[in-house]
Amino acid sequence: MLDVEVSKLGYRLSPADLVEKALQHGNKIMAFTYSEPTIFLEYALDTARLAHQKGLKAVFKSNGYESAYAVSKMVGLIDAVNVDLKAFKDSFYQTECKARVQPVMDTIVRLKQAGIWVEVTTLVIPNENDSNEELAQIAQFLASVDPLIPWHVTPFHPDFKMTNKTRTPRSTLARAREIGLRAGLKFVYSRTDDGGMDTRCPNCNTLLIERSGFSASCTAKFDTTTGKCLACSFMLPGVWH
């Protein structure tokens, strides 16, 4: 183990030490999340720069409130970003996040234009953002940016400051997934019992990646180094290694 300074606030790690720890654990990807990675953008980018030199990828899990300047600095260092698009109603963002939805939408577009791989997650909350209309608005927006953007629709559970809502039914997740597919999105993921977490080739529907919980396994029909479907030669977009 590295000799690190421990305080009440956690560990003091330089970017070089952090990359070294990742290598010691056999990691291939470094993910920056919780708290929002743009809060410590300079540290994250310094770490990502060293990670690339060691053959590691670097990704963000973000609320999508990056400025255009921040996105420009991420190019070439951050390989992928998963953005939380929490709702499509500005009223939800103003009430629950003390923010607005348009800057998040702008970031998704900027990231895509910058050549950074983008995925989007929506936490589906009963009676907040789970109407057919709002789910369709999110899906249609993403499809207008790029129908190959993966959309993850995830279940809510009561916690912290929102304990007055019920858990998201699986039927709602299945409905959200169907809405996303109807909108033209090729990769919509939900925790349902019908393979909703799996990846299939959008060209020939061959099963390429099977997922269960936090585990994933590739089938013999998928080239993980290039993203190629070996059944029809379609090249799946993404970050592969």
Side-chain angles (χ1 to χ4, degrees):
M1 294 292 293
L2 291 171
D3 183 22
V4 297
E5 178 185 339
V6 181
S7 72
K8 293 180 181 179
L9 299 179
Y11 300 93
R12 183 180 295 276
L13 287 174
S14 69
D17 288 342
L18 189 55
V19 171
E20 183 60 30
K21 284 179 72 69
L23 293 171
Q24 288 176 358
H25 285 280
N27 298 133
K28 296 180 179 179
I29 299 173
M30 301 189 72
F32 300 90
T33 178
Y34 307 131
S35 295
E36 168 60 38
T38 45
I39 292 174
F40 50 91
L41 181 66
E42 294 82 2
Y43 177 80
L45 296 185
D46 286 347
T47 304
R49 186 175 292 105
L50 295 176
H52 278 187
Q53 293 173 7
K54 298 293 185 178
L56 302 175
K57 302 291 187 183
V59 302
F60 274 10
K61 181 72 172 76
S62 174
N63 61 23
Y65 242 73
E66 286 86 354
S67 66
Y69 175 80
V71 171
S72 72
K73 293 300 181 182
M74 291 161 60
V75 174
L77 295 175
I78 302 303
D79 299 284
V81 181
N82 187 308
V83 176
D84 282 332
L85 182 53
K86 301 178 187 297
F88 210 73
K89 297 192 299 285
D90 213 44
S91 57
F92 178 93
Y93 265 87
Q94 291 177 8
T95 301
E96 302 298 338
C97 309
K98 305 299 186 270
R100 296 184 57 238
V101 66
Q102 189 61 51
V104 182
M105 296 166 61
D106 293 342
T107 293
I108 292 171
V109 173
R110 286 193 194 107
L111 289 168
K112 190 66 187 177
Q113 292 174 341
I116 299 173
W117 178 248
V118 185
E119 304 198 8
V120 173
T121 296
T122 300
L123 181 71
V124 182
I125 306 173
N127 300 316
E128 289 288 351
N129 62 354
D130 63 341
S131 69
N132 287 348
E133 178 184 11
E134 186 158 7
L135 292 170
Q137 288 174 327
I138 295 173
Q140 289 162 6
F141 162 68
L142 296 178
S144 73
V145 179
D146 186 347
L148 296 177
I149 290 179
W151 185 33
H152 305 264
V153 287
T154 57
F156 166 86
H157 68 271
D159 205 347
F160 195 41
K161 293 185 177 182
M162 188 174 280
T163 58
N164 61 332
K165 301 291 182 180
T166 60
R167 289 178 177 269
T168 309
R170 284 181 178 267
S171 59
T172 298
L173 299 178
R175 175 168 54 85
R177 183 168 183 267
E178 180 60 32
I179 288 171
L181 294 172
R182 285 204 307 266
L185 293 173
K186 303 301 182 183
F187 304 105
V188 185
Y189 298 105
S190 64
R191 298 177 190 174
T192 54
D193 298 323
D194 59 351
M197 294 297 292
D198 298 337
T199 296
R200 290 183 174 273
C201 175
N203 186 56
C204 69
N205 203 41
T206 296
L207 178 62
L208 302 178
I209 304 174
E210 293 182 281
R211 296 182 179 87
S212 177
F214 292 104
S215 299
S217 60
C218 298
T219 70
K221 294 293 186 180
F222 187 54
D223 184 343
T224 59
T225 61
T226 64
K228 183 178 182 179
C229 171
L230 300 179
C232 71
S233 298
F234 182 85
M235 301 297 293
L236 273 74
V239 179
W240 313 108
H241 61 84

